[in-house]
Amino acid sequence: MTITMDSKNLKTAGAGVASDESDLAALGYPQKLHRTMGPFTSFCLAFSMVSINTGVVTLFADPFNRVGGFGVLLWFLVIPFVSCIVLVYSHLSARIPVTGYAYQWSSRLVNKSYGWFTGWIAMISFMAGTAGTASAIGSVFAPEIWANPTQGQVQALSISATILVCAINIFGIKVATKMNDIGAVIELVGSAVLMAALIAGVFFIFGDSHGFGLLIDTTPANGQPLSLTTLALAMLLPVNVLLGWEGAADLAEETLDPRRAAAQAMIRAVVVSSICGVAMFALLTLAIPGPVKDFLAQPENPVIGIVRARFGNLAALGMLIVAFASIFACLIANMAVATRMIYALSRDSMLPASKLLMGVSARTGTPVAAIILVTIIAIAMNLASGGFVAALYSMVGLTYYCTYFLTLIGAYLAHRNNRIPPAPIDAFGLGPWLVPTIGLGVLWTIVVITTFSVPDESHPGAFMTMFMLAVGAAWWIFKLRGDLAAGRAGPPDLTVRSK
C-alpha cells in the first residue's frame, strides 16, 4: 500500500475539509478506537502522566539526602532541557498524529527497523511505569490503612488498584478519561490550595520557617560527602517527575483534532507541572519543621508529615486524598498509553500474538487483550522478588530517555533527508528552530542516560534495560527482520514529500 501526501492535500485536510477519520486513513489506518478526547481531556491525560503529586509524595526526601536543599534549584536546570524534547515531540505530533507516537514517527521518518527499537523501548517504559505507579499506591497508602503493613498487604493494595484500573480502561476511553479528568482536577485544585496555604504559612504564620538560605544549602542529610555523582543523581528527581507528558500523543487516534490538541496538551502539561513542581518542592522545603535531617529520619512520609505538623490531621487527610486521586489518575493514564503502544505495534504485526493484541472491542472501542496483558505484567512485577522488581522500576526513567534519544535522532535524520511531512498552517511547528532544539535535546538525553547508567546504584536499572533491549533485538533478528523485508509487518508504506 503506497500513499502519497503533499503539502496541498495535507493543508486541505488540516483546514477541516477532511475529518479526523479521513486524515487517519491518509496515514494508512481505518478508525477503530473511539475518538472522544477533547483538548482539556488530552491535557488532563498528559498532566496525570507527569503527576507532580506522585513525585512530591514519593521522591521528596531524595535530593536532601544527596545534596541538601540545593536539590530544589536543580529544577531550573532540568526544565529548559526537558522543554526542548517537548517542543520536538509537539512538532512531530502535528505532522504524524497516529497512536504509537514515537514508534510511528521513527518508522516513517527513518525506517521500520529503527521504528521497532524505538517502539519496543517506549512500550517497556510504559509497562514498567504502570507497574511502578501501582506499586506506589501500595507503598504510600498501605501504612495509612495498616499500622505496620506486611509486604503481602502492600502488594494486595497495589494489585487491587491495578485490577480496578484495568476494569476502568476496558469500559472504554470515555470512562477512563472521565475518571482521569476528575483525578487531574483534584490534583490541580489540591496543589493550588496546598501552595496557597504554604505561602501564607511560610511568610506570615509559621514562626520557625526555614529561610531561603536552605535552598542553596549543599549539606546532604544522609551525611555522605557531596560529589558530582550525587549532584547528578539529585537532578534525577525533577527528571523523574517530568516524564510521561507524551501520553497525549500516544492517544492521537482517540483525540479530536489531534494535530493541534496533542501538541497543546503536552506543552501545557509540562508548563503547569514545572511551575507547580518547583513551587511545591520549594514551599514544602521551607515549611519543614525543625532540623531537616531529624525530620527526614522520621518514619512518616515527609510530605504528609509536613502538612500534618503545620496544618493538623484534617489537612493531612486532605493531602492523602489528593495524593491518592493523583496517583490513581496517573495509573489510569499509564495503563491507557501502555496498551495503546501495544495496540499500535500489534496492528502492524510487530509483536508475538499480534492478531490477539490488536483486537478492539466494537462496543467500548478499547484494545481489551492489550489492557489485560498490561494488567497481568503489572501484577507479576508487583509480586516479583525485591531485587528483581527494584531493577525493573529503576529502569523507568532510563527507558523513557532512551525513547527520547532515539526519537530526537530520528527527527534530525528525517529533517536532513527532507522526510518530515508538512502540517496545517496553524498547527505547532518549530520552523528554523527545529535543528537547534533537537541538538539541545540530544545533549540532554545523553547526560540523563549517563546518569541513569554509570553510577553504581544505577547499574540494576541499566542492566535490566540492556536485557530488555537484547530481547527486542533477538525478536528483530530471528523473526521481525524477515517479516519487515517481506512486507508482512510494519506501518503502511508512505511516500512523504516535504515542501
Side-chain angles (χ1 to χ4, degrees):
M1 178 180 182
T2 301
I3 301 172
T4 301
M5 295 188 297
D6 57 30
S7 58
K8 180 179 178 181
N9 291 335
L10 189 53
K11 179 180 176 181
T12 301
V17 176
S19 65
D20 291 332
E21 288 77 10
S22 61
D23 193 16
L24 179 61
L27 290 165
Y29 299 108
Q31 183 74 50
K32 290 189 176 181
L33 303 171
H34 290 181
R35 195 179 290 273
T36 61
M37 292 173 54
F40 178 74
T41 297
S42 186
F43 161 77
C44 286
L45 181 121
F47 180 75
S48 291
M49 286 288 292
V50 175
S51 189
I52 53 171
N53 270 283
T54 302
V56 167
V57 172
T58 60
L59 301 174
F60 182 78
D62 188 71
F64 295 98
N65 287 324
R66 297 188 189 278
V67 297
F70 181 75
V72 177
L73 299 184
L74 292 175
W75 280 78
F76 294 102
L77 170 66
V78 172
I79 290 170
F81 289 107
V82 171
S83 298
C84 290
I85 305 173
V86 176
L87 293 174
V88 175
Y89 268 55
S90 298
H91 183 91
L92 296 175
S93 68
R95 286 150 181 80
I96 309 176
V98 185
T99 290
Y101 78 112
Y103 153 68
Q104 285 284 347
W105 302 341
S106 298
S107 296
R108 294 164 186 262
L109 299 179
V110 183
N111 60 58
K112 295 176 183 179
S113 291
Y114 190 88
W116 157 249
F117 285 100
T118 306
W120 170 256
I121 200 69
M123 182 187 75
I124 296 302
S125 68
F126 282 150
M127 289 198 297
T130 301
T133 306
S135 177
I137 289 179
S139 61
V140 171
F141 298 104
E144 304 299 328
I145 300 174
W146 300 281
N148 294 292
T150 64
Q151 182 181 1
Q153 289 170 328
V154 173
Q155 291 173 330
L157 185 57
S158 299
I159 292 170
S160 298
T162 305
I163 293 172
L164 177 58
V165 168
C166 171
I168 291 171
N169 273 278
I170 287 176
F171 285 150
I173 189 63
K174 197 167 186 178
V175 175
T177 54
K178 181 62 68 177
M179 295 290 291
N180 182 78
D181 287 353
I182 294 172
V185 170
I186 291 174
E187 181 170 13
L188 281 167
V189 174
S191 299
V193 171
L194 175 61
M195 286 188 290
L198 287 170
I199 290 171
V202 167
F203 293 103
F204 304 107
I205 300 174
F206 308 150
D208 59 345
S209 298
H210 293 277
F212 286 99
L214 181 59
L215 302 182
I216 58 174
D217 178 70
T218 56
T219 306
N222 62 8
Q224 297 298 315
L226 183 68
S227 67
L228 182 61
T229 298
T230 58
L231 184 67
L233 289 169
M235 176 190 71
L236 294 182
L237 185 148
V239 166
N240 278 312
V241 172
L242 295 177
L243 290 175
W245 39 264
E246 65 269 33
D250 194 32
L251 271 69
E253 292 175 33
E254 293 155 278
T255 303
L256 301 169
D257 193 14
R259 292 185 182 272
R260 298 169 182 82
Q264 293 170 358
M266 291 187 287
I267 293 171
R268 289 170 180 167
V270 172
V271 169
V272 173
S273 298
S274 297
I275 294 172
C276 291
V278 172
M280 288 182 66
F281 269 91
L283 289 167
L284 285 166
T285 297
L286 297 177
I288 292 175
V292 174
K293 183 178 180 180
D294 294 343
F295 179 79
L296 294 179
Q298 298 176 4
E300 186 176 25
N301 180 280
V303 173
I304 305 302
I306 292 170
V307 174
R308 190 186 308 279
R310 293 303 191 182
F311 302 109
N313 291 331
L314 186 60
L317 177 61
M319 182 64 198
L320 280 170
I321 293 172
V322 171
F324 180 80
S326 304
I327 301 176
F328 192 74
C330 183
L331 181 57
I332 293 174
N334 265 278
M335 185 173 290
V337 298
T339 56
R340 270 49 175 192
M341 179 59 73
I342 292 174
Y343 164 75
L345 289 165
S346 300
R347 177 175 58 182
D348 293 339
S349 301
M350 303 289 276
L351 293 175
S354 285
K355 289 185 178 179
L356 173 65
L357 294 173
M358 67 179 287
V360 175
S361 168
R363 183 175 64 84
T364 64
T366 54
V368 177
I371 294 171
I372 293 174
L373 175 63
V374 172
T375 302
I376 292 172
I377 292 174
I379 291 173
M381 290 175 66
N382 272 285
L383 291 174
S385 61
F388 177 75
V389 74
L392 284 170
Y393 296 154
S394 65
M395 75 175 183
V396 173
L398 178 55
T399 51
Y400 263 102
Y401 266 82
C402 286
T403 305
Y404 296 158
F405 175 78
L406 291 172
T407 306
L408 292 171
I409 294 296
Y412 171 74
L413 294 174
H415 174 79
R416 189 182 67 180
N417 296 321
N418 203 33
R419 289 179 57 87
I420 297 181
I425 293 174
D426 57 344
F428 180 84
L430 285 169
W433 292 98
L434 177 61
V435 172
T437 307
I438 290 174
L440 289 173
V442 168
L443 290 175
W444 176 245
T445 58
I446 292 172
V447 169
V448 174
I449 288 171
T450 301
T451 306
F452 271 125
S453 305
V454 174
D456 290 344
E457 68 181 78
S458 299
H459 288 173
F463 290 144
M464 184 60 68
T465 299
M466 292 172 62
F467 172 76
M468 297 307 300
L469 282 171
V471 171
W475 174 249
W476 178 79
I477 291 170
F478 295 109
K479 179 67 167 64
L480 196 56
R481 180 173 56 170
D483 288 347
L484 291 172
R488 295 190 297 269
D493 291 325
L494 301 176
T495 302
V496 180
R497 295 198 298 270
S498 177
K499 294 186 178 180

